[in-house]
Amino acid sequence: MTLDTIDIETESFGEEGVMFDATRIADPRFVQENRRPAHSDHRWFRTAAEAADGDSGYEQSLSGRWKIHYAKNPAAAPAGFFHPEYDCESWDDIPVPAHIQLHGYDRPQYVNVQYPWDGVEQIDPGEVPERYNPVASYVKSFVLDRPVEDGESVSISFLGAESAIAVWLNGRYLGYATDSFTPSEFDVTDALVEGENKLAAQVFKFSSGSWLEDQDFFRFSGLFRDVVLYRRPRAHVEDLRVDVDLAHDAGSADIALRVDLRGEGSVAARLAGVGPLEPHSDGGFGIRLENPRLWSPEDPWLYEVEIEVRDAAGEVTEVIVQRVGVRRFAIEDGLMKLNGRRVVFFGVNRHEFGLAGRVQTAGEIEADLLALKAVGVNAVRTSHYPNSTVFYELTDRHGLMVIDEMNLESHGVWDRIRKLGAPIEDAVPGDRPEWRPALMDRAASMFERDKNHPSVVMWSCGNESFGGTNLRDVAAWFREVDSRPVHYEGVFWDPRYEETTDVASQMYTPAAEVEEYLRHRRDKPFILCEYAHAMGNSFGAVDEYIELAYREPLFQGGFIWDFADQAIALTDRYGKEYYGYGGDFGDSPNDAEFCGNGIFFTDHSPTPKLQEVAYLYQGFKIRIDDDGFTVHNRLLSTSSAAYRCVVTLSREGRMLRSEDVETDIAAGDTGRVALPIAVPAAPGEYAIDVSFRLRAATAWAPEGHEVAYEQRVVQVGAPPARVAAPAPELIRGAHNIGVRGAGFSTLFSTLYGGLTSYRFGMTSDGGRELLKGMPRPHFWHAPTSNERGWEAPFEDGQWLLAGRYGRVREPLTRTRVEQDATAVTVTYEYELPTRPATTCDVAYRVDGSGRVEVTQTLHLVEGLPSLPEFGMLLTTLPEFRRLRWYGDGPEECYVDRRGGARLGVYDRDVTTELTPYLRPQEAGSRTGVRWAEVTDDRGAGLRVESAGGMEFSALPWTPDEVENALHQTELPPIHRTVLRPALMRRGVGGDDAWGARTLAQYHLPTSGDLVFDFAFRGV
């Protein structure tokens, strides 16, 4: 490719003239120029008081307001703009950090596997688009907060620049760097001037490195992390490393410190509260710590090494406080262990993403991590790039194990090999020597910055980039410089160099297949670096994986995909705000709402899926029986005695009694505890709840926060018999059948076939009409993301037609009317337009109290596809928005995602019951519902009952209306309340969202007769 040089020869840098040539951004070997070597992310302060305050006099923030010029490609970028005399005052302002695409330039683009230029420009790996490669030219004027002192050097660090950056100061070219997610730091000492300095940077959206940054995320560009000016005093620790050697019995630990001291001076170090580190002959320092307090997710204790640097004259030049976690993470006896205990990763993948894209404050990142801690998550994978430094400081402090992943994904190239038959030689980075410098640079930049964080327990070579010698060499380098295990999943697809990874790692493999794999391959511990693809209404049957992790020692857990939906706030043409996904920005190619995979929503509020996450990731597995309960303590280091254990007895939603019980079950052990409460002999349905709660507040939850729970439901005696009311009156008309009694009336049409009226209560016009249309048997719901992924509508679409267009067979002559001593029964037979054809009978039995018992019988025949659901659709008044039910809750739940739900009585507003997934879909249903009421503000409305428990949904929209909306704002105005009692809905599934079906045990049967009984009445 050819690109014009966008720069002219600049002032000399060092002793030779240097210029920046933009054509080199298309050279994979051009990784950096004049960038300072990567180093540890420690901070240095002038005094101990500064260190205590966390405000360093050696740092000057250059974040804030910058000037920007936008060009659609390098050829259109302004030449010479970095010169002091070039006037940039008329340029727009832009905040830093920020993505330019969220401030009116270029456009956001969401693609998953596809490269953003695919089909737009014909380029080969390493080349960059010529016609459309947005360039942001930045300018910032600044004055040093104080003069440069003798012996000081000054650097500027761009902590995140996507995807490549060239930098000038006062017209002098400083250098160039790639790797969007690690610091790009340049020395500026000789380029500084007194007074105002002009800092200029040019950020390219696409560089050759973009071929290595094909992660599943929005494609942005610009300065998206802070820009900081650093001063280095005359005696300075440029890099430091802390290593901990924990004795096998954990009775002692040796802490070793190595420093890279620049300038003449000396270093002294002490372990706060313990004593000084002694100098070693190799130039390092060390101390033995007896009976150390170990770092773990449950007790993330951090020691502090206080480092003091003095110059040759003995004056203190800097103070450093390095936090140290004493822990050992290693593969021992073939298993990954933390401090000698087998680990199960209750993990989550997390993109660094919020309402401002990949620009997050420390407070926002901390809120994310605390929310994860509160639901039992113990590990995070930084998918698929190094995060901001503050992330690691917070995971150290709050106790989350981290798989630190290098900035690498070339999924779009791998797809050519995997699916389109391209030769293995085409792999990027593969075995191609031109990509090796970039990989080694990215590995070193991540490692050197993050090496001292105890939360980092594994290094990951990247994501979905196939395999090859380059990745093999990266893994070997990690092992040369560190003892932590190395992870890389791509070996599963390219097993030529299995030594690349120390753990067997796969993605989205069904639990049964994991178990089968481990029957034959037992050479490495196994994790799922991605599993439980939580796109939309998903996260079904994840319990299969957790149970396997405690049945098969080699399976050591996994990382949910993923933390939060990636989406961008937009406003539609009517002024309504919504969250946009791929295609909403005029971006093409795009991958639509595939960015909506979170267990948290875009605003990082919890989705209903989190109810199940908390249940499955809890540290105590509880089983309740008649006279006691068994607890398996799955924690790594904490006894159950650390938590308050509360046992509660309830009857049909009303608490009867609550008792505390003391437990002391050691980590890893199983113990039995007697129930302090007996179930009464009086007939009724009782629930026994066992709950473990925090005894005191923590950083991540208040006192009383529940960390584990289980429930057992006990039925004592038979439900009370219903008192029969006087028989209703039967009225036989030519075209209608009327059934009426005290305070109610119903009307069945033999002309149109169905229940056309249900009036309840005494009013001047004969009672309040509670129906907005004829109830109909229903077999369909708005497809979930997973169902669309495996193309369920293509297979099951005839059930949509069956529910919408099924017809009553000859209603005028074949409608059956039966009367007995207490009730009248009206039965219709529906012909369904399925292939092969089938029928559904619906019988309405109306008693004298106005209670309507409904029996639906679906006659299935061989050859029919799987049913999305089997139930009835009833529409009632929109003012019936107050929902109250006795059943599973409080959050939505489905047959394969109900472990975290508990039987109780709950209240909600119907207008908020459709869960706001990025794309509207089936949502808001509950399992195990005994009864549900929808009422108006005065308490009048409709009650639905099912003695055996049903699935129940109350929404403001029909499934058709939900399915037709691409965003929440496209749902129509509310005209009705839609009730959908059902025998069962198909489970939501979630092994993946592009082909994995709901597990067989969570499907409705496909043959025989299905019978669903429920009842409704006015209230």
Side-chain angles (χ1 to χ4, degrees):
M1 66 171 297
T2 61
L3 278 176
D4 293 334
T5 299
I6 63 172
D7 203 354
I8 60 174
E9 188 169 340
T10 68
E11 298 177 50
S12 64
F13 184 90
E15 297 183 357
E16 55 181 303
V18 178
M19 60 183 294
F20 174 64
D21 181 0
T23 62
R24 298 188 69 193
I25 70 173
D27 181 356
R29 297 163 296 183
F30 186 45
V31 175
Q32 60 86 17
E33 188 169 52
N34 298 328
R35 192 194 65 203
R36 292 184 64 91
H39 55 79
S40 55
D41 62 359
H42 70 280
R43 298 178 68 200
W44 55 97
F45 301 85
R46 293 183 293 184
T47 65
E50 273 192 2
D53 292 340
D55 187 8
S56 175
Y58 289 131
E59 299 172 4
Q60 181 176 344
S61 173
L62 296 184
S63 298
R65 185 174 62 86
W66 287 56
K67 290 292 184 179
I68 186 173
H69 176 282
Y70 170 79
K72 68 178 182 180
N73 56 45
F81 77 100
F82 45 80
H83 285 298
E85 60 273 16
Y86 193 107
D87 186 3
C88 303
E89 281 304 306
S90 63
W91 288 9
D92 294 345
D93 292 338
I94 191 170
V96 170
H99 304 295
I100 70 168
Q101 288 77 10
L102 300 185
H103 288 270
Y105 309 98
D106 188 23
R107 65 175 69 90
Q109 182 181 13
Y110 168 66
V111 281
N112 172 21
V113 175
Q114 308 176 74
Y115 281 103
W117 53 77
D118 192 63
V120 179
E121 293 196 37
Q122 191 72 50
I123 58 175
D124 293 325
E127 297 178 343
V128 299
E130 293 185 26
R131 292 190 295 275
Y132 196 76
N133 183 10
V135 179
S137 299
Y138 289 88
V139 169
K140 173 79 170 182
S141 294
F142 69 93
V143 176
L144 290 175
D145 53 13
R146 68 177 193 278
V148 178
E149 298 180 7
D150 289 343
E152 268 192 341
S153 63
V154 183
S155 69
I156 188 166
S157 184
F158 298 85
L159 301 184
E162 190 173 7
S163 71
I165 185 172
V167 185
W168 298 260
L169 182 62
N170 298 320
R172 175 176 292 186
Y173 173 59
L174 299 180
Y176 169 83
T178 56
D179 187 357
S180 301
F181 297 97
T182 54
S184 299
E185 187 175 10
F186 305 94
D187 190 279
V188 300
T189 309
D190 295 336
L192 288 166
V193 298
E194 291 186 12
E196 191 170 275
N197 288 266
K198 181 178 181 179
L199 176 63
Q202 210 151 42
V203 180
F204 303 88
K205 184 173 184 179
F206 302 129
S207 63
S208 61
S210 299
W211 287 89
L212 305 178
E213 297 181 4
D214 191 32
Q215 288 94 336
D216 175 11
F217 60 12
F218 273 91
R219 308 309 166 99
F220 296 128
S221 63
L223 303 176
F224 68 96
R225 290 181 184 162
D226 284 321
V227 181
V228 184
L229 202 68
Y230 292 105
R231 295 169 181 261
R232 288 168 168 79
R234 54 191 173 276
H236 166 68
V237 170
E238 178 67 14
D239 182 73
L240 65 86
R241 178 164 180 174
V242 177
D243 290 301
V244 176
D245 184 11
L246 179 64
H248 184 73
D249 64 358
S252 64
D254 291 325
I255 299 176
L257 169 69
R258 286 178 284 170
V259 298
D260 178 8
L261 179 64
R262 303 291 173 89
E264 295 186 18
S266 62
V267 174
R270 61 177 288 106
L271 190 64
V274 180
L277 275 69
E278 299 297 330
H280 288 171
S281 58
D282 62 0
F285 303 83
I287 188 173
R288 173 159 290 184
L289 185 61
E290 299 294 340
N291 300 313
R293 185 172 174 178
L294 303 184
W295 185 97
S296 74
E298 296 143 41
D299 183 23
W301 180 257
L302 295 173
Y303 291 89
E304 291 186 348
V305 175
E306 299 167 345
I307 303 168
E308 188 177 77
V309 182
R310 295 178 180 268
D311 62 14
E315 294 184 6
V316 174
T317 58
E318 60 185 26
V319 173
I320 300 166
V321 177
Q322 179 63 50
R323 292 176 176 84
V324 178
V326 176
R327 61 106 181 99
R328 181 179 69 249
F329 187 92
I331 297 174
E332 300 168 352
D333 304 318
L335 301 174
M336 288 180 286
K337 295 184 180 182
L338 177 65
N339 303 327
R341 301 294 298 268
R342 173 181 177 261
V343 164
V344 174
F345 287 117
F346 290 165
V348 169
N349 283 275
R350 178 181 173 274
H351 272 293
E352 199 163 59
F353 197 94
L355 294 178
R358 287 188 282 280
V359 180
Q360 281 198 291
T361 66
E364 290 167 342
I365 294 171
E366 184 167 31
D368 289 353
L369 299 182
L370 296 181
L372 290 174
K373 287 284 294 185
V375 295
V377 171
N378 67 13
V380 177
R381 175 175 174 237
T382 65
S383 51
H384 305 287
Y385 43 81
N387 282 198
S388 305
T389 286
V390 69
F391 167 85
Y392 303 91
E393 295 171 352
L394 291 166
T395 53
D396 291 346
R397 184 192 311 166
H398 294 304
L400 285 158
M401 296 177 286
V402 173
I403 296 182
D404 203 5
E405 191 148 271
M406 194 170 85
N407 178 21
L408 172 64
E409 180 167 342
S410 58
H411 201 157
V413 178
W414 171 42
D415 244 24
R416 300 179 189 178
I417 298 169
R418 181 184 173 196
K419 298 178 180 178
L420 300 176
I424 200 170
E425 292 77 18
D426 285 1
V428 172
D431 304 321
R432 298 164 67 163
E434 68 269 27
W435 293 105
R436 192 176 189 277
L439 262 66
M440 300 307 297
D441 179 78
R442 290 172 184 231
S445 293
M446 177 181 72
F447 170 78
E448 296 295 352
R449 190 195 68 169
D450 300 340
K451 58 181 177 275
N452 294 319
H453 290 282
S455 56
V456 175
V457 297
M458 277 198 280
W459 305 110
S460 178
C461 299
N463 186 64
E464 293 178 322
S465 299
F466 202 54
T469 53
N470 286 321
L471 284 157
R472 178 201 63 189
D473 293 348
V474 165
W477 182 83
F478 278 132
R479 294 188 194 96
E480 288 176 11
V481 298
D482 197 59
S483 62
R484 279 167 274 208
V486 178
H487 165 271
Y488 183 62
E489 179 267 346
V491 167
F492 176 72
W493 301 99
D494 179 10
R496 291 177 296 158
Y497 304 104
E498 291 193 347
E499 66 270 27
T500 302
T501 185
D502 296 322
V503 297
S505 178
Q506 295 180 20
M507 295 181 181
Y508 307 110
T509 309
E513 293 182 20
V514 172
E515 188 166 25
E516 180 62 23
Y517 173 91
L518 289 173
R519 286 195 182 99
H520 307 285
R521 291 292 304 269
R522 306 194 64 80
D523 53 325
K524 294 178 181 180
F526 186 106
I527 64 169
L528 288 167
C529 64
E530 294 177 22
Y531 84 120
H533 197 268
M535 185 176 177
N537 190 0
S538 184
F539 206 73
V542 180
D543 57 302
E544 301 270 337
Y545 294 100
I546 305 303
E547 290 172 7
L548 178 61
Y550 288 94
R551 187 169 69 245
E552 168 53 77
L554 280 178
F555 178 49
Q556 297 194 246
F559 294 76
I560 295 165
W561 188 266
D562 62 357
F563 168 66
D565 291 347
Q566 299 177 69
I568 296 171
L570 294 174
T571 303
D572 71 10
R573 62 185 300 183
Y574 303 106
K576 296 179 179 179
E577 294 183 353
Y578 68 101
Y579 290 117
Y581 48 75
D584 287 336
F585 316 95
D587 50 318
S588 187
N590 70 75
D591 283 296
E593 78 277 17
F594 205 78
C595 51
N597 318 132
I599 55 174
F600 288 81
F601 290 117
T602 300
D603 64 358
H604 295 197
S605 61
T607 73
K609 293 168 281 192
L610 210 62
Q611 176 176 264
E612 193 78 359
V613 175
Y615 176 74
L616 295 176
Y617 276 9
Q618 60 190 12
F620 300 105
K621 183 67 173 178
I622 308 162
R623 289 286 181 265
I624 308 170
D625 54 37
D626 289 342
D627 55 1
F629 59 95
T630 301
V631 179
H632 175 209
N633 185 345
R634 293 175 168 178
L635 298 175
L636 292 169
S637 59
T638 308
S639 166
S640 66
Y643 302 92
R644 180 185 173 205
C645 181
V646 181
V647 179
T648 303
L649 178 69
S650 300
R651 182 181 185 274
E652 295 169 9
R654 183 172 61 87
M655 191 179 76
L656 302 177
R657 189 177 168 194
S658 179
E659 296 284 348
D660 283 24
V661 60
E662 294 301 320
T663 70
D664 189 5
I665 301 165
D669 287 353
T670 298
R672 182 164 176 79
V673 182
L675 279 173
I677 297 173
V679 175
E685 187 173 50
Y686 297 88
I688 304 166
D689 286 83
V690 175
S691 171
F692 284 87
R693 305 172 186 175
L694 292 178
R695 292 189 183 272
T698 67
W700 45 269
E703 178 186 352
H705 173 78
E706 189 171 64
V707 298
Y709 56 91
E710 190 54 86
Q711 183 182 72
R712 182 178 184 230
V713 177
V714 179
Q715 178 68 49
V716 176
R722 193 173 294 107
V723 177
E729 178 186 359
L730 171 62
I731 305 166
R732 295 179 180 269
H735 302 109
N736 295 279
I737 304 297
V739 182
R740 61 189 307 117
F744 82 94
S745 68
T746 62
L747 196 66
F748 295 88
S749 173
T750 56
L751 189 63
Y752 299 109
L755 174 60
T756 58
S757 176
Y758 180 79
R759 290 182 175 271
F760 188 83
M762 299 301 294
T763 65
S764 60
D765 63 348
R768 188 181 192 184
E769 179 59 67
L770 300 187
L771 296 182
K772 290 278 287 182
M774 285 194 298
R776 297 180 59 85
H778 198 67
F779 317 102
W780 184 259
H781 53 237
T784 64
S785 296
N786 289 337
E787 287 172 327
R788 287 196 300 270
W790 57 270
E791 298 181 333
F794 180 85
E795 299 182 10
D796 306 343
Q798 55 186 294
W799 290 118
L800 167 63
L801 300 179
R804 184 183 295 175
Y805 300 118
R807 66 187 181 189
V808 173
R809 178 176 293 170
E810 301 176 21
L812 198 60
T813 59
R814 294 176 65 106
T815 299
R816 298 198 306 273
V817 181
E818 301 167 277
Q819 186 174 22
D820 58 33
T822 60
V824 173
T825 302
V826 180
T827 304
Y828 297 99
E829 181 185 10
Y830 284 82
E831 298 179 279
L832 305 182
T834 56
R835 294 293 180 269
T838 190
T839 60
C840 181
D841 299 330
V842 179
Y844 299 90
R845 186 176 190 275
V846 187
D847 69 15
S849 69
R851 187 172 189 269
V852 181
E853 298 177 357
V854 183
T855 300
Q856 292 180 225
T857 306
L858 176 62
H859 304 287
L860 292 169
V861 294
E862 293 293 335
L864 289 170
S866 172
L867 278 155
E869 64 179 62
F870 176 50
M872 179 164 276
L873 188 147
L874 302 91
T875 56
T876 188
L877 307 181
E879 50 265 41
F880 295 168
R881 56 180 292 177
R882 295 174 57 183
L883 170 64
R884 183 175 177 85
W885 77 96
Y886 173 45
D888 293 344
E891 305 299 335
E892 73 179 17
C893 44
Y894 290 80
V895 290
D896 57 352
R897 197 184 81 212
R898 64 184 299 194
R902 280 179 276 193
L903 180 65
V905 175
Y906 303 99
D907 296 274
R908 288 291 175 90
D909 187 325
V910 170
T911 62
T912 64
E913 275 297 274
L914 183 68
T915 307
Y917 296 117
L918 277 186
R919 179 171 175 175
Q921 57 195 273
E922 162 58 32
S925 188
R926 303 300 192 286
T927 55
V929 176
R930 279 67 163 166
W931 56 259
E933 293 177 349
V934 288
T935 59
D936 61 17
D937 292 338
R938 295 180 300 171
L942 202 61
R943 178 182 174 102
V944 183
E945 302 169 339
S946 179
M950 61 184 163
E951 297 199 35
F952 184 81
S953 166
L955 299 175
W957 301 285
T958 66
D960 293 342
E961 291 170 326
V962 173
E963 183 176 356
N964 289 338
L966 296 178
H967 303 88
Q968 297 291 324
T969 52
E970 296 172 26
L971 291 162
I974 296 171
H975 295 290
R976 59 187 69 84
T977 293
V978 180
L979 309 182
R980 286 164 48 228
L983 175 68
M984 178 179 161
R985 304 189 215 288
R986 181 165 53 206
V988 294
D991 285 357
D992 66 45
W994 50 90
R997 297 168 183 262
T998 300
L999 297 187
Q1001 60 266 40
Y1002 302 116
H1003 282 253
L1004 283 144
T1006 56
S1007 62
D1009 287 351
L1010 293 183
V1011 180
F1012 174 44
D1013 294 306
F1014 73 98
F1016 65 88
R1017 61 183 174 88
V1019 292

